[in-house]
Amino acid sequence: MLERIHAHCVKNGPKILGLPAAFTPFPVKKLLLQQLLNWQFRHALAEGELDFLDGRLLGIEIADLNLQWITTLQDGRLAVLQQSEADVWFRGNANDLLLVAARKADPDMLFFQRRLVIEGDTELGLEVKNVMDAIEPEAMPTALRTAIEQMAAFVDAGMKQDAKAAQARAGAAC
């Protein structure tokens, strides 16, 4: 019973969390996202590893959270913009992106399964992916790393439980 509740929470949690995101004004989202992104990528920014984003627009969409934004580099800091055009778009669902961030899922595998979509300037997309791959989890702020790891473990276990339940239903007699 608890396993079914766990799987249900993992499967439907992003939709529920997406409701407040849909009603949150963009200036509030912008402030939170800019602080989080600049905190997370402070070392990469200091080393100039994100300079390729200067004047380039990276779109991120987390569909099941109703979250979409554009990121660029302005004055040595990551800025969040609200517009519809980007040079490259990264699109995925919250659970998959969380598993990628926690290194529990391979982004290439998700891309080939069409669970992670990269559209637009593929060269820019590859540069972004390479920077993301190069970030060592230990370089992340401890609070953020711990939160991501714990949420990813919860999601991973819930997705596995949901897959087991689907297999059991597939083998059941009608």
Side-chain angles (χ1 to χ4, degrees), residues 11 21 38 43 48 50 53 70 73-74 81 94 96 119-120 123-124 129 135 147 154 160 167 172 174:
K11 186 175 182 177
N38 283 291
H43 296 299
L50 296 174
L53 276 176
I70 307 285
L73 188 69
Q74 292 178 345
L81 311 171
D96 290 331
E119 297 174 336
E123 186 177 324
L124 178 59
K129 181 191 170 300
I135 294 173
F154 181 82
K160 287 177 181 171
Q167 286 177 336
C174 295

Side-chain angles (χ1 to χ4, degrees), residues 41-123:
F41 295 106
R42 66 191 182 285
H43 296 299
L45 288 165
E47 298 290 322
E49 295 173 12
L50 296 174
D51 288 353
F52 67 89
L53 276 176
D54 195 11
R56 308 297 302 275
L57 302 175
L58 165 64
I60 311 277
E61 180 181 356
I62 308 172
D64 56 351
L65 286 183
N66 296 312
L67 210 55
Q68 176 178 318
W69 72 91
I70 307 285
T71 300
T72 191
L73 188 69
Q74 292 178 345
D75 301 321
R77 293 186 48 80
L78 292 170
V80 172
L81 311 171
Q82 182 182 26
Q83 58 192 67
S84 59
E85 296 297 320
D87 297 309
V88 66
W89 278 97
F90 280 75
R91 293 184 165 98
N93 286 323
N95 289 338
D96 290 331
L97 294 173
L98 178 64
L99 293 174
V100 167
R103 305 257 201 274
K104 288 188 173 281
D106 177 25
D108 293 328
M109 179 192 69
L110 295 178
F111 176 77
F112 288 116
Q113 292 176 347
R114 302 200 192 290
R115 291 167 50 191
L116 175 63
V117 178
I118 302 170
E119 297 174 336
D121 183 338
T122 53
E123 186 177 324

Side-chain angles (χ1 to χ4, degrees), residues 4 9 14-15 22-23 27 32 40 56-57 76 87 103 108 129-130 142-143 160 166:
R4 287 180 51 206
C9 288
K15 293 175 192 164
F23 294 108
L32 293 171
Q40 165 58 32
R56 308 297 302 275
L57 302 175
D87 297 309
R103 305 257 201 274
D108 293 328
K129 181 191 170 300
N130 289 339
T142 304
K160 287 177 181 171

